[in-house]
Amino acid sequence: MQEILLPLAMAATFGAFTGSLFRLTRRPGYERPFMFPVVGLVAGLTAYMIYHVLASVTGAPPWLLPILVVLQVWLWLGPWGPKFRKVENGDEGR
């Protein structure tokens, strides 16, 4: 059980940390700053699940897990991430 929980916790923590670092690259005044570490946490959990399946099916190497976490965070907060619009002009964000 520990061989599953420890890497899972480490992947989730690394995902939250990477999400927090991704927050630094956004423009100042960006809305919902707490969203970045939370999305990073969920992306880290998802990346671990992908890694666990790959490791059990194909014998994936351990160095693949951090790369999967960073890619997952980048995808979820980058091109496929949420888009917010300013509410100043009466325009509602999606």
Side-chain angles (χ1 to χ4, degrees), residues 4-44:
I4 292 176
L5 289 180
L6 186 61
L8 178 69
M10 289 172 50
T13 304
F14 184 61
F17 175 71
T18 307
S20 298
L21 287 180
F22 201 90
R23 166 72 174 106
L24 296 176
T25 64
R26 291 290 185 181
R27 59 189 175 274
Y30 195 73
E31 299 173 5
R32 302 173 81 180
F34 187 65
M35 175 192 64
F36 290 90
V38 171
V39 169
L41 179 85
V42 174

Side-chain angles (χ1 to χ4, degrees), residues 13-89:
T13 304
F14 184 61
F17 175 71
T18 307
S20 298
L21 287 180
F22 201 90
R23 166 72 174 106
L24 296 176
T25 64
R26 291 290 185 181
R27 59 189 175 274
Y30 195 73
E31 299 173 5
R32 302 173 81 180
F34 187 65
M35 175 192 64
F36 290 90
V38 171
V39 169
L41 179 85
V42 174
L45 293 173
T46 305
Y48 177 75
M49 294 301 167
I50 292 170
Y51 170 76
H52 188 67
V53 168
L54 284 175
S56 63
V57 171
T58 64
W63 54 264
L64 186 63
L65 180 59
I67 293 172
L68 283 173
V69 170
V70 170
L71 284 175
Q72 199 77 4
V73 170
W74 177 76
L75 281 175
W76 286 13
L77 291 176
W80 293 344
K83 311 279 189 276
F84 295 104
R85 298 181 185 138
K86 297 282 183 182
V87 186
E88 302 169 36
N89 302 333

